[in-house]
Amino acid sequence: MNTDFQRIVMIGYGKATGEILKYTDDRRADYGYALEFIEHEPHALGVTRQICGERGIPFASMPDKRELGRYLGEIQEKTLIVSASNNFLFPAALVERKHITIINFHNALLPDYPGRNAPSWVIYQGEERTGITWHYVTAGVDEGNIIIQKSCEIGPDTKAYELTERLMDLACEGYYECFDSVLQENAVARPQGFSPERRMYRSGEIPGNGFLDLTEEPEKLYRLLRSVDYGKSGIFPPLQTEAAGMRAEVLRYRKIAPEKKKEEADMFYLPLADGNLLKIKYRML
């Protein structure tokens, strides 16, 4: 197999990125490119440093965005940069270089839900399907042509961490499927066709503004609770609500059958349309 790419630089973190890194390393024998990995955002459950050590892949930690920008800007060879679970915004001057090609994984079906924390927003907005997009990177955030997309359903009880895990699996599948066409520069990519007024989701935004308003429909509150539920990852701060006219913090929630209801302190029970109850435990602030 032939490619003009002499070098692949991968940037990212997390389990899926580790799988993508191993696959890219395995394919070196087919194409002969050099491979290296850069960790821009350290991750508590990161596996990429270990993978690099085991496989002899050059590894660098560059949390400083200016240092990373300078490093990438010094690349002279024809290079493919693979952005997998990475939030570094590539400078326009780098994106526009003819010998640099950048592909990025986004955890939604672009052009919808660009920006950060897309799994949260699709749950909160009540979407029934979502997916992933591998796209070429341009100067605009999440605006480049689409290389491949994979989709999945969002169940009525799906939590953000569960959806994220499914999307990571789809990201790997999509990467494996499009890798050769990207390396051989014959991928059939299509424009996104988005509106200039499309909504961009920022890192500091929280669904529902982080507040559980008990006057809202229970179904919407359940979507909000699931949308910010990343287990112990702490992506978002705990939701706040109001109890007895005072601020309170949501500790946990659960959907239960009515017969399992128990009168407990610091607990709300809200009726859901499917006949179950939404159980919410809180503490006063």
Side-chain angles (χ1 to χ4, degrees), residues 21-35:
L21 175 62
K22 288 190 286 186
Y23 177 85
T24 308
D25 183 48
D26 290 340
R27 298 301 306 276
R28 278 202 281 182
D30 296 326
Y31 288 103
Y33 49 75
L35 174 64

Side-chain angles (χ1 to χ4, degrees), residues 69-268:
R70 284 194 301 269
Y71 180 80
L72 297 176
E74 293 172 355
I75 292 176
Q76 300 299 319
E77 311 98 313
K78 185 173 175 63
T79 298
L80 173 66
I81 298 175
V82 178
S83 171
S85 296
N86 162 57
N87 297 310
F88 175 73
L89 296 179
F90 296 95
L94 177 69
V95 172
E96 293 165 359
R97 294 194 173 188
K98 295 188 181 300
H99 65 288
I100 300 288
T101 297
I102 308 173
I103 63 171
N104 178 65
F105 150 64
H106 183 70
N107 53 0
L109 294 171
L110 294 174
D112 296 329
Y113 297 97
R116 298 291 295 271
N117 302 316
S120 293
W121 292 104
V122 295
I123 292 174
Y124 181 62
Q125 298 292 356
E127 301 285 2
E128 295 181 354
R129 293 195 69 81
T130 188
I132 64 94
T133 303
W134 280 97
H135 65 96
Y136 287 109
V137 172
T138 61
V141 177
D142 294 332
E143 293 183 0
N145 288 355
I146 293 169
I147 303 168
I148 192 170
Q149 292 184 311
K150 310 282 285 186
S151 66
C152 66
E153 293 184 356
I154 304 173
D157 301 310
T158 300
K159 301 172 179 63
Y161 72 86
E162 296 170 330
L163 181 57
T164 298
E165 290 176 0
R166 177 60 181 137
L167 295 177
M168 294 300 104
D169 290 339
L170 290 179
C172 293
E173 291 176 19
Y175 184 79
Y176 305 157
E177 291 178 25
C178 73
F179 182 78
D180 288 297
S181 62
V182 170
L183 260 288
Q184 296 170 23
E185 299 182 271
N186 57 15
V188 180
R190 57 183 174 85
Q192 292 190 36
F194 55 84
S195 167
E197 289 79 33
R198 72 171 176 166
R199 170 88 151 83
M200 180 67 65
Y201 294 87
R202 309 294 179 181
S203 59
E205 293 182 273
I206 305 174
N209 293 317
F211 185 77
L212 198 72
D213 184 350
L214 297 177
T215 64
E216 299 272 9
E217 294 182 358
E219 278 69 29
K220 183 176 181 180
L221 299 183
Y222 187 39
R223 292 202 307 271
L224 173 56
L225 288 161
R226 291 185 290 114
S227 75
V228 299
D229 186 353
Y230 284 90
K232 297 180 180 180
S233 296
I235 302 296
F236 295 112
L239 294 175
Q240 292 191 9
T241 188
E242 187 174 290
M246 300 177 64
R247 280 272 171 165
E249 180 181 275
V250 175
L251 296 178
R252 57 185 179 272
Y253 71 98
R254 187 179 178 188
K255 186 164 80 170
I256 64 169
E259 59 269 21
K260 293 187 177 181
K261 178 180 178 181
K262 297 179 181 179
E263 294 302 328
E264 302 175 64
D266 301 332
M267 195 80 69
F268 295 124

